[in-house]
Amino acid sequence: MKQGTFIKESNILFKDFAKQWLPTYIERTCPEPGTVRLRKYGINKLLPYLAHIKLKNISEEMFQEALDDLKASNLAKSTLEGILATGKMIFDMAVHKKLIREDPVKKAYIKKDIKVIKETNEDDQKKQDEDLPNYFEKEELKVFLDAAKTNGLYMDDLIFTMLAYTGMRVGELVVLKWNDIDFTKRTVRINKTYYSEYNNIAKYELVLPKTEKSKRKIVVSNLVIELLKKHKEEQEKIIARLGDSYNNKGFIFTNIKSHQGLPILTKLVENRMKRLLKLANLNTKLSPHSMRHTHTSLLAAAGVKLEDIKERLGHFDDAITRKIYLHVTDPVKREASDKFDNFMESA
């Protein structure tokens, strides 16, 4: 006590401190809505293990056991990492406020799975191929886009052509503004995404992309530019007709029946796609995100390098993108090997 290092630990329960911690965390860091949701999720996952235990009585072993048990329930690694990060922040603040002497989460970790190399047979390879996400083949995409052009509702042709020709996420698409388009240089700037917790048109937020890599500028085809120009002309006529009732915020894809001028819901794009898939007699399990996988497969088939594809899609690394790329380029690699064999035989 003379040295000023003595800490009188608090009797506060974990559940009570976690409840106090969350608003402080939000106030200090101003996180995105999705991040707040993850922190709440992390707290809720820890509560069954720690809720009624005093902070000062929670040991390293106790927290690690909780983490191990959550892992045993087959939660994804990224989910476990989020729970661990939440726990670290809570106890870090408890130490900072001198409510406890030591941080029980400081050395906590997510146990790694033992990697076993398995021999693969024809059935295993077939299963791996079946694990690929759904996406359009080239001819199927043509059929779908033709359906969007001939039988689509307002904006369908532009929406699905852009998704197919850019590989952007649907959340990135619906919040594009006209100032994101450079008609001369044929570029589209992607620097924000859409968030609406309850799919409420009026209650939406523009949030930053998940990573820095997601912020990008991509070059698009003349077809996309021409469709954008055509849509801009149509939109300007609608704005002139609706007058002050149109809440003009510069968005490209907007509602015109209610909440005029506000961005369309991502759910609307999903529903529109289901309608067109039925009309075109195509796989109804496909979704707007399938267009992103389709873009990956067609770029790979066209000979674009994996690194360039990842840059265009806006992510540092993605297992699904890599899997699609390897699946599509595998025949090309076999062809290269066959060419070598033929060359050697002809010598």
Side-chain angles (χ1 to χ4, degrees), residues 205-290:
E205 293 180 66
L206 303 183
V207 298
L208 291 170
K210 199 168 185 179
T211 65
E212 279 298 313
K213 282 280 184 181
S214 295
K215 291 193 285 187
R216 60 205 187 276
K217 187 180 285 186
I218 60 174
V219 178
V220 295
S221 67
N222 283 317
L223 171 63
V224 171
I225 292 297
E226 291 306 313
L227 286 175
L228 282 166
K229 286 179 179 178
K230 181 184 174 184
H231 176 61
K232 198 170 194 303
E233 290 175 5
E234 292 174 353
Q235 190 183 78
E236 285 170 355
K237 290 177 184 177
I238 292 170
I239 293 171
R241 187 178 77 244
L242 294 174
D244 292 340
S245 64
Y246 188 92
N247 189 1
N248 195 352
K249 293 178 177 288
F251 290 109
I252 296 174
F253 301 99
T254 61
N255 296 284
I256 56 172
K257 290 185 178 179
S258 63
H259 302 290
Q260 293 95 336
L262 299 186
I264 59 174
L265 290 169
T266 55
K267 187 70 177 175
L268 181 138
V269 179
E270 186 181 328
N271 292 338
R272 294 274 191 96
M273 186 166 180
K274 283 181 182 177
R275 173 183 174 272
L276 291 171
L277 288 169
K278 287 180 182 177
L279 288 173
N281 198 27
L282 292 167
N283 184 359
T284 53
K285 290 183 180 179
L286 291 162
S287 68
H289 199 72
S290 302

Coordinates of all heavy atoms in Angstrom, one line a residue, residues 205-290:
E205 N -27.5 2.4 -43.4 CA -26.3 3.1 -43.1 C -25.3 2.8 -44.2 O -25.3 1.7 -44.7 CB -25.7 2.7 -41.7 CG -26.5 3.1 -40.5 CD -25.9 2.7 -39.2 OE1 -24.8 3.2 -38.9 OE2 -26.5 1.8 -38.5
L206 N -24.4 3.7 -44.5 CA -23.3 3.5 -45.4 C -22.1 3.3 -44.5 O -21.7 4.1 -43.7 CB -23.1 4.7 -46.3 CG -24.2 5.2 -47.2 CD1 -23.8 6.4 -48.0 CD2 -24.8 4.1 -48.0
V207 N -21.5 2.1 -44.6 CA -20.4 1.7 -43.8 C -19.2 1.4 -44.6 O -19.3 1.1 -45.8 CB -20.7 0.5 -42.9 CG1 -21.9 0.9 -41.9 CG2 -21.1 -0.7 -43.7
L208 N -18.0 1.5 -44.0 CA -16.8 1.2 -44.7 C -16.7 -0.2 -45.0 O -17.2 -1.1 -44.3 CB -15.6 1.6 -43.9 CG -15.4 3.1 -43.6 CD1 -14.3 3.3 -42.6 CD2 -15.0 3.8 -44.9
P209 N -16.1 -0.6 -46.1 CA -15.9 -2.0 -46.5 C -15.1 -2.7 -45.3 O -14.5 -2.1 -44.5 CB -15.0 -2.0 -47.7 CG -15.3 -0.6 -48.3 CD -15.5 0.3 -47.2
K210 N -15.2 -4.1 -45.3 CA -14.7 -4.8 -44.2 C -13.2 -4.7 -44.1 O -12.6 -4.6 -43.0 CB -15.0 -6.3 -44.5 CG -14.9 -7.2 -43.2 CD -15.5 -8.5 -43.5 CE -15.5 -9.4 -42.2 NZ -16.1 -10.7 -42.4
T211 N -12.4 -4.6 -45.2 CA -11.0 -4.4 -45.2 C -10.6 -3.3 -46.1 O -11.3 -2.8 -47.0 CB -10.3 -5.7 -45.6 OG1 -10.6 -6.0 -47.0 CG2 -10.7 -6.9 -44.8
E212 N -9.3 -2.9 -46.0 CA -8.7 -1.8 -46.9 C -8.7 -2.3 -48.3 O -8.9 -1.5 -49.2 CB -7.3 -1.5 -46.4 CG -7.3 -0.5 -45.2 CD -7.9 0.9 -45.6 OE1 -7.6 1.4 -46.7 OE2 -8.7 1.4 -44.8
K213 N -8.5 -3.6 -48.5 CA -8.4 -4.2 -49.8 C -9.8 -4.1 -50.6 O -9.8 -4.1 -51.8 CB -8.0 -5.7 -49.8 CG -6.5 -5.9 -49.5 CD -5.8 -5.8 -50.8 CE -4.3 -6.1 -50.6 NZ -3.5 -5.9 -51.9
S214 N -10.9 -4.0 -49.8 CA -12.2 -3.9 -50.4 C -12.4 -2.6 -51.0 O -13.3 -2.4 -51.9 CB -13.3 -4.2 -49.3 OG -13.2 -5.5 -48.8
K215 N -11.7 -1.6 -50.6 CA -11.8 -0.2 -51.2 C -10.9 -0.3 -52.5 O -9.7 -0.5 -52.4 CB -11.3 0.9 -50.3 CG -12.2 1.1 -49.1 CD -11.9 2.4 -48.3 CE -10.7 2.2 -47.5 NZ -10.5 3.4 -46.6
R216 N -11.6 -0.1 -53.6 CA -10.9 -0.3 -54.9 C -11.5 0.5 -56.0 O -12.6 1.0 -55.9 CB -10.8 -1.7 -55.3 CG -12.2 -2.4 -55.5 CD -12.1 -3.9 -55.2 NE -13.4 -4.6 -55.5 CZ -14.4 -4.6 -54.7 NH1 -14.4 -4.1 -53.5 NH2 -15.5 -5.3 -55.1
K217 N -10.8 0.6 -57.1 CA -11.4 1.2 -58.3 C -11.1 0.3 -59.5 O -10.0 -0.2 -59.7 CB -10.7 2.6 -58.6 CG -11.3 3.4 -59.8 CD -10.5 4.7 -60.0 CE -10.9 5.7 -58.9 NZ -10.3 7.0 -59.2
I218 N -12.2 -0.1 -60.2 CA -12.0 -1.1 -61.2 C -12.5 -0.6 -62.6 O -13.3 0.3 -62.6 CB -12.8 -2.4 -60.9 CG1 -14.3 -2.1 -60.8 CG2 -12.3 -3.1 -59.7 CD1 -15.2 -3.3 -60.6
V219 N -11.8 -1.1 -63.6 CA -12.2 -0.7 -65.0 C -13.3 -1.6 -65.4 O -13.3 -2.8 -65.2 CB -11.0 -0.8 -65.9 CG1 -11.4 -0.4 -67.4 CG2 -9.8 0.1 -65.4
V220 N -14.3 -1.0 -66.1 CA -15.5 -1.8 -66.6 C -15.6 -1.7 -68.1 O -15.0 -0.9 -68.7 CB -16.8 -1.4 -65.9 CG1 -16.7 -1.6 -64.4 CG2 -17.1 0.1 -66.2
S221 N -16.4 -2.6 -68.6 CA -16.5 -2.7 -70.1 C -17.4 -1.6 -70.7 O -18.1 -0.9 -69.9 CB -17.1 -4.0 -70.5 OG -18.5 -4.1 -70.0
N222 N -17.3 -1.4 -72.0 CA -18.1 -0.4 -72.6 C -19.6 -0.7 -72.5 O -20.4 0.2 -72.4 CB -17.8 -0.3 -74.1 CG -16.5 0.4 -74.4 OD1 -16.3 1.5 -73.8 ND2 -15.6 -0.1 -75.2
L223 N -19.9 -2.0 -72.4 CA -21.3 -2.4 -72.2 C -21.9 -1.9 -70.9 O -23.0 -1.3 -70.9 CB -21.4 -3.9 -72.2 CG -22.8 -4.5 -71.8 CD1 -23.9 -4.1 -72.8 CD2 -22.7 -6.1 -71.7
V224 N -21.1 -2.0 -69.8 CA -21.6 -1.5 -68.5 C -21.7 0.0 -68.6 O -22.7 0.6 -68.1 CB -20.6 -1.9 -67.4 CG1 -20.9 -1.2 -66.1 CG2 -20.6 -3.4 -67.2
I225 N -20.8 0.7 -69.2 CA -20.8 2.2 -69.3 C -22.1 2.6 -70.0 O -22.8 3.6 -69.6 CB -19.5 2.7 -69.9 CG1 -18.3 2.5 -69.0 CG2 -19.7 4.2 -70.3 CD1 -18.4 3.3 -67.7
E226 N -22.4 2.0 -71.1 CA -23.5 2.4 -72.0 C -24.8 2.1 -71.2 O -25.7 2.9 -71.3 CB -23.5 1.6 -73.3 CG -22.4 2.0 -74.2 CD -22.4 3.5 -74.5 OE1 -23.5 4.0 -74.8 OE2 -21.3 4.1 -74.4
L227 N -24.9 1.0 -70.4 CA -26.1 0.8 -69.6 C -26.3 1.8 -68.5 O -27.4 2.2 -68.2 CB -26.0 -0.6 -69.0 CG -26.2 -1.8 -70.0 CD1 -26.0 -3.2 -69.2 CD2 -27.7 -1.8 -70.5
L228 N -25.1 2.2 -67.9 CA -25.2 3.3 -66.9 C -25.7 4.6 -67.5 O -26.5 5.3 -66.9 CB -23.8 3.4 -66.3 CG -23.4 2.4 -65.3 CD1 -21.9 2.5 -65.0 CD2 -24.2 2.5 -63.9
K229 N -25.2 4.9 -68.7 CA -25.6 6.2 -69.3 C -27.1 6.2 -69.6 O -27.8 7.2 -69.4 CB -24.8 6.4 -70.6 CG -23.4 6.8 -70.4 CD -22.7 7.0 -71.8 CE -21.2 7.4 -71.6 NZ -20.5 7.5 -72.9
K230 N -27.6 5.0 -70.1 CA -29.0 4.9 -70.4 C -29.8 5.0 -69.1 O -30.9 5.7 -69.1 CB -29.2 3.5 -71.1 CG -30.7 3.3 -71.5 CD -30.8 1.8 -72.0 CE -32.3 1.5 -72.3 NZ -32.5 0.1 -72.7
H231 N -29.4 4.4 -68.1 CA -30.1 4.4 -66.8 C -30.1 5.9 -66.2 O -31.1 6.3 -65.7 CB -29.5 3.5 -65.8 CG -30.1 3.5 -64.4 ND1 -31.4 3.3 -64.2 CD2 -29.6 3.9 -63.2 CE1 -31.7 3.4 -62.9 NE2 -30.6 3.8 -62.3
K232 N -29.0 6.6 -66.4 CA -28.9 7.9 -65.9 C -30.0 8.8 -66.6 O -30.6 9.7 -65.9 CB -27.5 8.5 -66.1 CG -27.2 9.8 -65.3 CD -25.8 10.1 -65.4 CE -25.3 11.1 -64.3 NZ -26.1 12.3 -64.2
E233 N -30.2 8.6 -67.8 CA -31.2 9.4 -68.6 C -32.6 9.1 -68.1 O -33.4 10.0 -67.9 CB -31.1 9.1 -70.1 CG -29.8 9.7 -70.7 CD -29.7 9.2 -72.2 OE1 -30.6 8.6 -72.7 OE2 -28.6 9.5 -72.8
E234 N -32.8 7.8 -67.9 CA -34.2 7.4 -67.4 C -34.4 7.9 -66.0 O -35.5 8.4 -65.6 CB -34.2 5.9 -67.3 CG -34.3 5.2 -68.7 CD -34.2 3.7 -68.7 OE1 -34.0 3.2 -67.5 OE2 -34.3 3.1 -69.7
Q235 N -33.3 7.9 -65.1 CA -33.5 8.3 -63.8 C -33.8 9.9 -63.7 O -34.6 10.3 -62.9 CB -32.2 8.0 -62.9 CG -32.4 8.2 -61.4 CD -31.1 8.0 -60.7 OE1 -30.2 8.8 -60.7 NE2 -31.0 6.8 -60.0
E236 N -33.1 10.6 -64.5 CA -33.3 12.1 -64.6 C -34.7 12.4 -64.9 O -35.3 13.4 -64.4 CB -32.3 12.7 -65.5 CG -30.9 12.7 -65.0 CD -29.8 13.2 -66.0 OE1 -30.2 13.3 -67.2 OE2 -28.6 13.3 -65.6
K237 N -35.3 11.6 -65.8 CA -36.7 11.9 -66.2 C -37.6 11.6 -65.0 O -38.6 12.3 -64.7 CB -37.1 11.0 -67.4 CG -36.5 11.3 -68.7 CD -36.8 10.3 -69.8 CE -36.1 10.7 -71.1 NZ -36.4 9.7 -72.1
I238 N -37.3 10.5 -64.2 CA -38.1 10.2 -63.0 C -38.0 11.3 -62.0 O -39.0 11.7 -61.4 CB -37.6 8.8 -62.5 CG1 -38.0 7.7 -63.4 CG2 -38.2 8.6 -61.1 CD1 -37.4 6.4 -63.1
I239 N -36.7 11.8 -61.8 CA -36.5 12.8 -60.8 C -37.3 14.1 -61.2 O -37.9 14.7 -60.3 CB -35.0 13.1 -60.7 CG1 -34.3 12.0 -60.1 CG2 -34.8 14.4 -59.9 CD1 -32.7 12.1 -60.2
A240 N -37.3 14.4 -62.5 CA -38.0 15.6 -62.9 C -39.5 15.4 -62.7 O -40.2 16.4 -62.3 CB -37.7 15.8 -64.4
R241 N -40.0 14.2 -62.9 CA -41.5 13.9 -62.7 C -41.9 13.9 -61.3 O -42.9 14.5 -60.9 CB -41.8 12.6 -63.4 CG -43.3 12.3 -63.4 CD -43.6 11.0 -64.1 NE -43.4 9.8 -63.2 CZ -42.5 8.9 -63.4 NH1 -41.7 9.0 -64.5 NH2 -42.3 7.9 -62.5
L242 N -41.0 13.4 -60.4 CA -41.4 13.3 -59.0 C -41.1 14.5 -58.2 O -41.7 14.8 -57.2 CB -40.6 12.1 -58.3 CG -41.0 10.7 -58.8 CD1 -40.1 9.7 -58.2 CD2 -42.4 10.4 -58.4
G243 N -40.2 15.4 -58.7 CA -39.9 16.6 -58.1 C -39.4 16.5 -56.7 O -38.5 15.7 -56.4
D244 N -39.9 17.3 -55.7 CA -39.4 17.3 -54.3 C -39.6 16.0 -53.6 O -39.0 15.8 -52.5 CB -40.1 18.5 -53.6 CG -39.7 19.8 -54.1 OD1 -38.6 19.9 -54.8 OD2 -40.4 20.8 -53.9
S245 N -40.5 15.2 -54.0 CA -40.8 13.9 -53.3 C -39.6 12.9 -53.5 O -39.5 11.9 -52.8 CB -42.1 13.3 -53.8 OG -42.0 12.9 -55.2
Y246 N -38.7 13.2 -54.5 CA -37.6 12.4 -54.8 C -36.4 12.9 -53.9 O -35.9 14.0 -54.1 CB -37.2 12.4 -56.3 CG -36.1 11.4 -56.6 CD1 -36.5 10.1 -57.1 CD2 -34.8 11.7 -56.6 CE1 -35.5 9.2 -57.4 CE2 -33.8 10.8 -56.9 CZ -34.2 9.5 -57.3 OH -33.2 8.6 -57.7
N247 N -36.0 12.0 -53.0 CA -34.9 12.4 -52.1 C -33.5 12.1 -52.8 O -33.0 11.1 -52.6 CB -35.0 11.6 -50.8 CG -34.1 12.0 -49.7 OD1 -33.3 13.0 -49.9 ND2 -34.1 11.4 -48.6
N248 N -33.1 13.1 -53.5 CA -31.9 12.9 -54.4 C -30.6 13.0 -53.6 O -30.1 14.0 -53.2 CB -31.9 13.9 -55.5 CG -30.9 13.5 -56.6 OD1 -30.2 12.6 -56.5 ND2 -31.0 14.2 -57.7
K249 N -30.0 11.8 -53.3 CA -28.7 11.7 -52.6 C -27.6 11.2 -53.6 O -26.5 10.9 -53.1 CB -28.9 10.8 -51.4 CG -29.8 11.3 -50.3 CD -29.9 10.3 -49.2 CE -30.7 10.8 -48.1 NZ -30.0 11.9 -47.3
G250 N -28.0 11.1 -54.9 CA -26.9 10.8 -55.8 C -26.8 9.3 -56.1 O -25.8 8.8 -56.7
F251 N -27.7 8.4 -55.5 CA -27.5 7.0 -55.6 C -28.0 6.6 -57.1 O -28.8 7.2 -57.7 CB -28.4 6.2 -54.6 CG -27.9 6.4 -53.2 CD1 -28.5 7.1 -52.3 CD2 -26.7 5.7 -52.8 CE1 -28.1 7.2 -51.0 CE2 -26.2 5.8 -51.5 CZ -26.9 6.6 -50.6
I252 N -27.4 5.5 -57.5 CA -27.7 5.0 -58.9 C -28.9 4.1 -58.8 O -29.8 4.2 -59.6 CB -26.5 4.2 -59.4 CG1 -25.3 5.2 -59.6 CG2 -26.8 3.5 -60.8 CD1 -24.0 4.5 -60.1
F253 N -28.9 3.2 -57.9 CA -30.0 2.2 -57.8 C -31.0 2.6 -56.7 O -30.7 2.4 -55.5 CB -29.4 0.8 -57.5 CG -28.5 0.3 -58.6 CD1 -27.1 0.4 -58.4 CD2 -29.0 -0.2 -59.8 CE1 -26.2 0.0 -59.4 CE2 -28.1 -0.6 -60.8 CZ -26.7 -0.5 -60.6
T254 N -32.1 3.2 -57.1 CA -33.0 3.8 -56.1 C -34.4 3.3 -56.2 O -34.8 2.8 -57.2 CB -33.0 5.4 -56.2 OG1 -33.5 5.7 -57.5 CG2 -31.6 5.9 -56.1
N255 N -35.1 3.5 -55.1 CA -36.5 3.2 -55.1 C -37.3 4.3 -55.8 O -37.0 5.4 -55.6 CB -37.0 3.1 -53.6 CG -36.3 1.9 -52.9 OD1 -36.7 0.8 -53.1 ND2 -35.4 2.2 -52.0
I256 N -38.4 3.9 -56.5 CA -39.2 4.9 -57.1 C -40.7 4.9 -56.7 O -41.4 5.7 -57.1 CB -39.1 4.8 -58.7 CG1 -39.5 3.4 -59.1 CG2 -37.7 5.1 -59.2 CD1 -39.6 3.3 -60.7
K257 N -41.0 3.8 -56.0 CA -42.4 3.7 -55.5 C -42.6 4.3 -54.1 O -43.6 5.0 -53.9 CB -42.9 2.2 -55.6 CG -43.0 1.7 -57.0 CD -43.6 0.3 -57.0 CE -43.8 -0.3 -58.4 NZ -44.3 -1.7 -58.4
S258 N -41.8 3.9 -53.2 CA -41.8 4.5 -51.9 C -40.4 4.8 -51.5 O -39.4 4.2 -52.0 CB -42.4 3.6 -50.9 OG -41.7 2.4 -50.7
H259 N -40.2 5.8 -50.6 CA -38.8 6.2 -50.2 C -38.0 6.5 -51.5 O -36.9 6.1 -51.6 CB -38.1 5.2 -49.3 CG -38.9 4.8 -48.1 ND1 -39.0 5.7 -47.0 CD2 -39.6 3.7 -47.7 CE1 -39.7 5.1 -46.1 NE2 -40.1 3.9 -46.5
Q260 N -38.6 7.3 -52.4 CA -38.0 7.6 -53.6 C -36.6 8.2 -53.4 O -36.4 9.2 -52.7 CB -38.8 8.5 -54.5 CG -40.1 7.9 -55.0 CD -41.3 8.2 -54.0 OE1 -41.1 8.5 -52.8 NE2 -42.5 8.2 -54.5
G261 N -35.6 7.7 -54.1 CA -34.2 8.2 -54.1 C -33.3 7.5 -53.1 O -32.1 7.7 -53.2
L262 N -33.9 6.7 -52.2 CA -33.0 6.0 -51.3 C -32.6 4.7 -51.9 O -33.3 4.2 -52.8 CB -33.8 5.7 -50.0 CG -34.2 6.9 -49.2 CD1 -34.8 6.5 -47.8 CD2 -33.1 7.9 -48.9
P263 N -31.5 4.1 -51.5 CA -31.0 2.9 -52.1 C -31.9 1.7 -52.0 O -32.6 1.6 -51.0 CB -29.7 2.6 -51.3 CG -29.4 3.8 -50.5 CD -30.6 4.5 -50.4
I264 N -32.0 0.9 -53.0 CA -32.8 -0.4 -52.9 C -32.2 -1.3 -51.9 O -31.0 -1.3 -51.6 CB -32.9 -1.0 -54.3 CG1 -31.5 -1.4 -54.8 CG2 -33.6 -0.2 -55.3 CD1 -31.5 -2.2 -56.1
L265 N -33.0 -2.2 -51.4 CA -32.6 -3.2 -50.4 C -31.8 -4.3 -51.2 O -32.1 -4.7 -52.3 CB -33.8 -3.9 -49.7 CG -34.5 -3.0 -48.7 CD1 -35.8 -3.7 -48.3 CD2 -33.7 -2.7 -47.5
T266 N -30.8 -4.9 -50.5 CA -30.1 -6.0 -51.1 C -31.1 -7.2 -51.2 O -30.9 -8.0 -52.2 CB -28.9 -6.5 -50.2 OG1 -29.4 -6.7 -48.8 CG2 -27.9 -5.4 -50.1
K267 N -32.1 -7.3 -50.4 CA -33.1 -8.3 -50.5 C -33.9 -8.2 -51.8 O -34.3 -9.2 -52.3 CB -34.1 -8.2 -49.3 CG -35.0 -9.4 -49.2 CD -34.4 -10.7 -48.8 CE -35.4 -11.8 -48.6 NZ -34.7 -13.1 -48.3
L268 N -34.1 -7.0 -52.2 CA -34.8 -6.8 -53.5 C -34.1 -7.4 -54.7 O -34.6 -8.1 -55.5 CB -35.0 -5.3 -53.8 CG -35.8 -5.0 -55.0 CD1 -36.8 -3.8 -54.8 CD2 -34.9 -4.6 -56.2
V269 N -32.7 -7.3 -54.7 CA -31.9 -7.9 -55.7 C -32.0 -9.4 -55.7 O -32.1 -10.0 -56.7 CB -30.4 -7.4 -55.5 CG1 -29.5 -8.1 -56.6 CG2 -30.3 -5.9 -55.6
E270 N -32.0 -9.9 -54.5 CA -32.1 -11.4 -54.3 C -33.5 -11.9 -54.8 O -33.5 -12.9 -55.6 CB -32.0 -11.7 -52.8 CG -32.0 -13.2 -52.5 CD -31.9 -13.5 -51.0 OE1 -31.3 -12.7 -50.3 OE2 -32.5 -14.5 -50.6
N271 N -34.6 -11.2 -54.5 CA -35.9 -11.6 -55.0 C -36.0 -11.4 -56.5 O -36.6 -12.3 -57.2 CB -37.0 -10.7 -54.3 CG -37.1 -11.0 -52.8 OD1 -36.7 -12.1 -52.4 ND2 -37.6 -10.1 -52.1
R272 N -35.4 -10.4 -57.1 CA -35.5 -10.2 -58.5 C -34.7 -11.3 -59.2 O -35.1 -11.8 -60.3 CB -34.8 -8.8 -58.9 CG -35.6 -7.6 -58.4 CD -36.6 -7.1 -59.4 NE -37.2 -5.8 -59.1 CZ -36.7 -4.7 -59.6 NH1 -35.7 -4.7 -60.5 NH2 -37.3 -3.5 -59.3
M273 N -33.6 -11.7 -58.6 CA -32.8 -12.8 -59.2 C -33.6 -14.1 -59.2 O -33.6 -14.9 -60.2 CB -31.5 -13.0 -58.5 CG -30.6 -13.9 -59.2 SD -28.9 -13.8 -58.6 CE -28.1 -15.1 -59.6
K274 N -34.3 -14.4 -58.1 CA -35.1 -15.7 -58.1 C -36.1 -15.7 -59.2 O -36.4 -16.7 -59.8 CB -35.7 -15.8 -56.7 CG -34.8 -16.2 -55.6 CD -35.6 -16.3 -54.2 CE -34.6 -16.7 -53.1 NZ -35.3 -16.7 -51.8
R275 N -36.7 -14.5 -59.4 CA -37.8 -14.4 -60.4 C -37.2 -14.7 -61.8 O -37.8 -15.5 -62.6 CB -38.4 -13.0 -60.4 CG -39.3 -12.7 -61.5 CD -39.8 -11.3 -61.5 NE -40.6 -11.0 -62.6 CZ -40.1 -10.5 -63.8 NH1 -38.8 -10.3 -63.9 NH2 -40.9 -10.3 -64.8
L276 N -36.1 -14.2 -62.1 CA -35.4 -14.4 -63.4 C -34.9 -15.8 -63.6 O -35.0 -16.4 -64.7 CB -34.3 -13.4 -63.6 CG -34.7 -11.9 -63.8 CD1 -33.5 -11.0 -63.7 CD2 -35.5 -11.7 -65.1
L277 N -34.4 -16.4 -62.5 CA -33.9 -17.8 -62.6 C -35.1 -18.7 -63.0 O -34.9 -19.7 -63.8 CB -33.3 -18.2 -61.3 CG -31.9 -17.6 -61.0 CD1 -31.5 -17.8 -59.5 CD2 -30.8 -18.1 -61.9
K278 N -36.2 -18.5 -62.4 CA -37.4 -19.3 -62.7 C -37.8 -19.1 -64.1 O -38.1 -20.1 -64.8 CB -38.6 -19.0 -61.7 CG -38.4 -19.5 -60.3 CD -39.5 -19.1 -59.4 CE -39.3 -19.6 -58.0 NZ -40.4 -19.1 -57.1
L279 N -37.9 -17.9 -64.6 CA -38.3 -17.6 -65.9 C -37.3 -18.2 -67.0 O -37.8 -18.7 -68.0 CB -38.4 -16.1 -66.2 CG -39.5 -15.3 -65.5 CD1 -39.3 -13.8 -65.7 CD2 -40.8 -15.8 -66.1
A280 N -36.1 -18.2 -66.6 CA -35.1 -18.8 -67.6 C -34.8 -20.2 -67.4 O -34.0 -20.8 -68.1 CB -33.7 -18.0 -67.4
N281 N -35.5 -20.9 -66.4 CA -35.4 -22.3 -66.1 C -33.9 -22.6 -65.7 O -33.4 -23.6 -66.2 CB -35.8 -23.1 -67.3 CG -36.1 -24.6 -66.9 OD1 -36.5 -24.9 -65.8 ND2 -36.0 -25.5 -67.9
L282 N -33.4 -21.8 -64.9 CA -32.0 -22.0 -64.4 C -32.0 -22.4 -62.9 O -33.0 -22.4 -62.3 CB -31.2 -20.8 -64.6 CG -30.9 -20.4 -66.1 CD1 -30.4 -18.9 -66.2 CD2 -29.9 -21.3 -66.7
N283 N -30.8 -22.8 -62.4 CA -30.7 -23.2 -61.0 C -31.1 -22.2 -60.0 O -30.5 -21.1 -59.9 CB -29.2 -23.6 -60.8 CG -29.0 -24.1 -59.4 OD1 -29.9 -24.3 -58.6 ND2 -27.7 -24.5 -59.1
T284 N -32.2 -22.4 -59.4 CA -32.8 -21.4 -58.4 C -32.0 -21.3 -57.1 O -32.3 -20.5 -56.3 CB -34.3 -21.8 -58.1 OG1 -34.4 -23.1 -57.7 CG2 -35.2 -21.6 -59.3
K285 N -31.0 -22.2 -56.9 CA -30.2 -22.1 -55.8 C -29.1 -21.0 -55.9 O -28.4 -20.6 -54.9 CB -29.5 -23.4 -55.5 CG -30.4 -24.5 -55.0 CD -29.6 -25.8 -54.7 CE -30.6 -26.9 -54.2 NZ -29.9 -28.1 -54.0
L286 N -29.0 -20.4 -57.1 CA -28.0 -19.3 -57.3 C -28.5 -18.1 -56.6 O -29.7 -17.8 -56.5 CB -27.8 -19.1 -58.8 CG -27.1 -20.2 -59.6 CD1 -27.3 -20.1 -61.0 CD2 -25.6 -20.2 -59.3
S287 N -27.6 -17.2 -56.2 CA -27.9 -16.0 -55.5 C -27.1 -14.9 -56.1 O -26.2 -15.1 -56.9 CB -27.5 -16.1 -54.0 OG -26.1 -16.2 -53.9
P288 N -27.3 -13.6 -55.7 CA -26.5 -12.5 -56.2 C -25.0 -12.7 -56.0 O -24.2 -12.3 -56.8 CB -27.1 -11.3 -55.4 CG -28.5 -11.6 -55.2 CD -28.5 -13.1 -55.0
H289 N -24.7 -13.4 -54.8 CA -23.3 -13.6 -54.5 C -22.7 -14.6 -55.5 O -21.5 -14.7 -55.7 CB -23.1 -14.1 -53.1 CG -21.7 -14.0 -52.6 ND1 -21.2 -12.7 -52.2 CD2 -20.7 -14.9 -52.3 CE1 -19.9 -12.9 -51.8 NE2 -19.6 -14.2 -51.9
S290 N -23.5 -15.5 -56.1 CA -23.1 -16.4 -57.1 C -22.5 -15.7 -58.3 O -21.7 -16.2 -59.1 CB -24.2 -17.3 -57.6 OG -24.8 -18.0 -56.5

